[in-house]
Every structure is written in C-alpha cells, then in structure tokens.
Amino acid sequence: APAKDPTCLRMERMEAEREERRRTMKARKIERAAEEKRNIAAGNPGDVDFIGMVREWRADRAGTALPRGDPVQLGAATGDSTGTGREELQQPKICICVRKRPVSDKERKKLDHDSVTCLHPTVWVHSAKRRVDGITKYLDHSSFAFDHAFDENVSTEEIYSHSTMPLIDFVCAGRGGRATVFAYGQTGSGKTF
C-alpha cells in the first residue's frame, strides 16, 4: 500500500483532535448543567465557574479558622505586672465582631452566589473577575480582620457569649463599669437578641 501523503495524515490527525475536543466540550457542558442544578438545589445559584472557584478556595483552607476560646472577662485580674504587689485590672476595649448572614431569597432570584467566607478572625470577600481577554475567570480575594468573625452557621447564643456577655458581667460586677453595644445590620440578622 502506498504511504499516505503527510498533508492527508496531518488533516486526519487534526480532524481526530477536533472530534476529541467536541466530545470533551459536550461532556463538560453536561457536567456544568448538572453542577448548576446541584448548586440551585443547595440554594446557591449563580455562575458555576465562580461558585466552583470559591468552593475550591474554601476546601484549601478548611480547618484554618482559629479557635475562639473562652469569652474574655472584662475587669478580671490580670496578675501583678508592675512589681508593686498589686494586681492590675484589664481595661475594657473595643471589640469588633462580624456575623455573616445567609444568602437571601432576593439574592438567589438575582442569581447572586455566596461570596463571603468567615475564617475566624478573618472575613474574606471573593470578587468575581474576568481577565482582559473577557473570557478567563478568576477570583480576587480581600481579607478583613476582626476580633471575632462568625459565619452563618454559628448560633446567636455563641455570638452573645463572645460579644455581649463579657460586657454584662463587667457592668454587673459592682465596680461602676459601663458598656455600650452597637449592633448594625440587616433586619432579621440577630441584632435584638
């Protein structure tokens, strides 16, 4: 049998590669549709690629949140640090706490996705971006540090025990202590408690 012309061989190889790319793209399209259905069922609609990138980012950092420990007791004895034989009292300080709320129904209808991650004591905001080519997607991560960062799964009681309970103990200790709590946020996010 005569040898095939190199140009014909190259054209056949190109056609085979094209068919392989088409099969791959078809399989990817089916997988994306299934993933989109899973995201919607989980209450997290939106761009499948960005949701996947946020999910991967969170998986890479799973377990990195710091433990909160016991709530601080304001006004508690801190020990003799001056060498005078007297114990100094810990001074009250400003404590900034953040509580992430779940994605609302209104946001779900607009196909917004969950783009905030709380890893105590840091809150990360994941901004969905596209490169200059207009096609390639990536996330820009901004971090904000607080005294306490609570995600949407933390109970209101735990938030209270770390943010407000130490102030109640301090005020009721009978030493003339004063405290103020500023609660700012969306209606129904737990301020009144």
Side-chain angles (χ1 to χ4, degrees):
K4 283 193 175 182
D5 179 40
T7 304
C8 287
L9 288 173
R10 201 159 89 209
M11 288 175 58
E12 288 174 3
R13 189 174 68 241
M14 287 172 56
E15 183 62 33
E17 289 171 355
R18 185 178 303 123
E19 286 302 317
E20 180 58 32
R21 281 195 307 272
R22 287 178 180 158
R23 279 193 296 276
T24 302
M25 289 304 291
K26 186 176 181 179
R28 175 137 170 73
K29 194 179 251 188
I30 292 168
E31 176 55 34
R32 283 174 58 85
E35 187 173 349
E36 185 172 10
K37 285 181 183 179
R38 285 192 301 269
N39 289 342
I40 290 170
N44 195 18
D47 188 287
V48 173
D49 296 323
F50 288 128
I51 293 170
M53 285 188 259
V54 171
R55 186 182 304 121
E56 282 180 31
W57 188 93
R58 289 175 178 160
D60 290 345
R61 286 152 186 83
T64 61
L66 299 176
R68 282 193 182 75
D70 294 329
V72 175
Q73 296 299 316
L74 298 177
T78 59
D80 181 14
S81 62
T82 61
T84 61
R86 292 184 301 160
E87 290 184 340
E88 289 187 7
L89 295 180
Q90 181 182 4
Q91 296 299 315
K93 65 174 189 165
I94 294 174
C95 179
I96 309 288
C97 302
V98 173
R99 180 186 203 180
K100 175 189 168 189
R101 64 169 176 74
V103 178
S104 70
D105 290 336
K106 185 177 181 180
E107 291 164 326
R108 284 190 189 98
K109 287 178 187 171
K110 289 179 16 183
L111 300 181
D112 288 342
H113 62 273
D114 181 3
S115 61
V116 177
T117 303
C118 291
L119 297 172
H120 175 70
T122 307
V123 175
W124 292 86
V125 178
H126 313 287
S127 300
K129 306 270 184 167
R130 290 183 190 266
R131 300 225 183 272
V132 178
D133 64 11
I135 298 169
T136 310
K137 299 175 183 180
Y138 71 99
L139 291 177
D140 185 29
H141 309 283
S142 300
S143 64
F144 303 90
F146 299 95
D147 294 301
H148 292 284
F150 303 99
D151 67 20
E152 65 272 25
N153 300 315
V154 175
S155 70
T156 302
E157 290 79 13
E158 184 175 349
I159 295 169
Y160 170 79
S161 73
H162 288 281
S163 62
T164 309
M165 189 174 71
L167 298 175
I168 302 299
D169 295 340
F170 176 70
V171 169
C172 295
R175 295 190 207 113
R178 295 182 185 156
T180 302
V181 175
F182 289 102
Y184 177 80
Q186 184 174 346
T187 300
S189 61
K191 297 181 301 291
T192 303
F193 182 84

